Amino acid sequence: MPKPGNRPSKYLRFTSVAFQMGGTIFLGNYLGQWLDAKYDRDFWETTLTLLSVFASMYLVISQVIKVSKEDD
C-alpha cells in the first residue's frame, strides 16, 4: 500500500473537474449547433447539450465514487 504522501491529494484530483464538465458541455452544444445548421432542424442543440450535462455529471460522480473507494 503506497504511503499517503506519495498519492496526490483527493482535492487536487478534482481541480480540473470544472474544465472537464465545461468542455464536455461545450462540445455537445457545438455539435448540436452544427447538426441544427446542417439538417435545418432546431432540436439537436438542446438535446445534445442536455445529454452532455448528464454525461458530465455521470463522469464526475463516477470519479468521486472511485476516489472514495480508494480511501477505504
Side-chain angles (χ1 to χ4, degrees):
M1 181 173 206
K3 294 180 182 178
N6 292 339
R7 283 192 282 177
S9 169
K10 61 183 172 182
Y11 302 110
L12 185 62
R13 290 183 184 184
F14 294 111
T15 56
S16 64
V17 168
F19 296 111
Q20 179 184 359
M21 287 183 73
T24 303
I25 295 167
F26 172 77
L27 290 175
N29 183 273
Y30 190 76
L31 178 63
Q33 286 178 351
W34 180 76
L35 287 171
D36 279 346
K38 182 172 175 88
Y39 295 112
D40 196 27
R41 301 281 185 228
D42 60 351
F43 63 89
W44 284 113
E45 180 181 3
T46 307
T47 304
L48 289 179
T49 302
L50 186 61
L51 288 174
S52 298
V53 168
F54 287 130
S56 64
M57 288 174 59
Y58 172 78
L59 290 172
V60 170
I61 290 169
S62 65
Q63 288 176 1
V64 169
I65 290 171
K66 181 180 174 185
V67 167
S68 68
K69 285 185 179 180
E70 288 176 357
D71 288 343
D72 291 339

